[in-house]
Amino acid sequence: LTTNIFNGNIGVNGLVSTHATTAVFSMALDMKNLDIAQSFEGFDMFKSFVPILKSLQGKINTYLTFSGSLDNDLSPILSTINGDALAQLLTQDVNAQNNPLLGKLAQKVSFINLDKFDVSNITAKLNFKDGAVQVAPFDFNIKGIKATASGRHSLTNEMDYTLALDLPAKYLGKEGANLLSKLTAEDIDKINVLVPVKFSGSFLSPRIDLNLDLAVKNLTTQIVEIQKARLKDKGKEAVNAVYREKYDL
């Protein structure tokens, strides 16, 4: 069975069994080129399983296989759903101000314009089990900054996510600038540091922990290694100079 809806197409295949006390179902949905805004408003499942979609505009492809129990009205009981999904975003438009999570993240990472990052062609794998959604690690790019996200959230939207930013050291602010002043511009361009960002709370009331202390520690270690290598090279040059002078080379 296929139908045109939400400016896209959905293929449906599944079954329902009412033989037991509680009705059960299994289903596969092949969704192609769905308008994100329309499908978010039209599918209660999207609101529970992928609330982050509210901040996106454009199209989405996704293939879902899932099963679970049905209530007396034959509506899915979300806490019983088990399954998997493969979702591909076909959009470049992100509205950070339209989502409390992205809005608060934008305040924390003021050196990144979250309205400008490219989420087109992101493919994410999701697993639904025991009333929670597990998201496998996936990569995307924020204006040249590589980012990797993964984690989980419950169907009541309590979340536990990690975002790892592979950040050019020049974005680290005053503390980073003081450390980088010891290096050449060429050295600075080569240095990236891992900045872990932890998300907890709920999508509507998120808590965000940005661990810049760890990033500065990482930067310090890299700078020490660069300076040690530079001193070692200077030592070799000095020894070679003495050797050439002694033997008139």
Side-chain angles (χ1 to χ4, degrees):
L1 174 66
T2 61
T3 182
N4 294 319
I5 190 172
F6 305 137
N7 286 334
N9 179 271
I10 299 179
V12 182
N13 183 24
L15 60 87
V16 174
S17 174
T18 58
H19 295 301
T21 303
T22 301
V24 295
F25 76 98
S26 62
M27 185 173 292
L29 297 177
D30 187 8
M31 304 178 177
K32 295 180 179 178
N33 292 311
L34 296 190
D35 181 89
I36 291 175
Q38 291 184 33
S39 56
F40 185 84
E41 291 302 319
F43 273 126
D44 287 338
M45 184 181 295
F46 275 9
K47 295 177 183 178
S48 296
F49 284 99
V50 280
I52 195 70
L53 286 182
K54 185 177 182 181
S55 61
L56 303 180
Q57 301 172 21
K59 297 278 189 173
I60 185 172
N61 292 336
T62 184
Y63 185 79
L64 298 92
T65 57
F66 55 102
S67 61
S69 301
L70 300 172
D71 62 20
N72 292 334
D73 296 322
L74 296 184
S75 295
I77 302 172
L78 294 182
S79 61
T80 69
I81 289 180
N82 293 321
D84 298 282
L86 184 66
Q88 180 188 25
L89 294 176
L90 305 173
T91 177
Q92 293 184 332
D93 298 321
V94 179
N95 185 353
Q97 302 308 316
N98 198 35
N99 185 284
L101 173 63
L102 293 180
K104 184 165 286 189
L105 178 60
Q107 296 173 13
K108 289 279 188 177
V109 290
S110 57
F111 44 81
I112 300 175
N113 186 347
L114 293 179
D115 284 328
K116 298 297 183 181
F117 79 89
D118 185 359
V119 295
S120 61
N121 294 316
I122 284 180
T123 298
K125 295 180 180 179
L126 293 78
N127 174 260
F128 316 127
K129 187 176 181 180
D130 300 327
V133 179
Q134 184 77 37
V135 180
F138 65 92
D139 298 330
F140 56 97
N141 194 282
I142 309 175
K143 294 194 72 175
I145 300 170
K146 180 183 175 183
T148 302
S150 64
R152 68 188 302 277
H153 65 269
S154 71
L155 298 185
T156 51
N157 287 334
E158 287 83 14
M159 61 179 168
D160 180 12
Y161 278 91
T162 299
L163 175 66
L165 298 173
D166 189 24
L167 190 70
K170 60 186 178 183
Y171 287 128
L172 278 179
K174 292 181 179 179
E175 199 164 358
N178 291 336
L179 293 170
L180 292 173
S181 64
K182 304 172 184 177
L183 301 179
T184 65
E186 183 179 359
D187 288 332
I188 293 172
D189 287 339
K190 295 177 181 178
I191 296 180
N192 281 31
V193 293
L194 184 66
V195 179
V197 185
K198 187 75 172 176
F199 300 87
S200 57
S202 69
F203 284 94
L204 293 178
S205 182
R207 293 190 297 274
I208 299 177
D209 179 21
L210 179 66
N211 197 337
L212 285 178
D213 289 341
L214 183 61
V216 170
K217 183 177 179 181
N218 182 308
L219 175 61
T220 302
T221 300
Q222 291 190 60
I223 290 175
V224 168
E225 291 302 316
I226 290 172
Q227 291 176 326
K228 284 167 61 177
R230 187 175 294 159
L231 288 173
K232 185 176 180 180
D233 289 340
K234 286 183 178 179
K236 288 181 179 179
E237 291 175 4
V239 170
N240 289 335
V242 171
Y243 182 83
R244 288 193 297 269
E245 182 179 349
K246 180 175 181 180
Y247 294 98
D248 196 23
L249 296 177

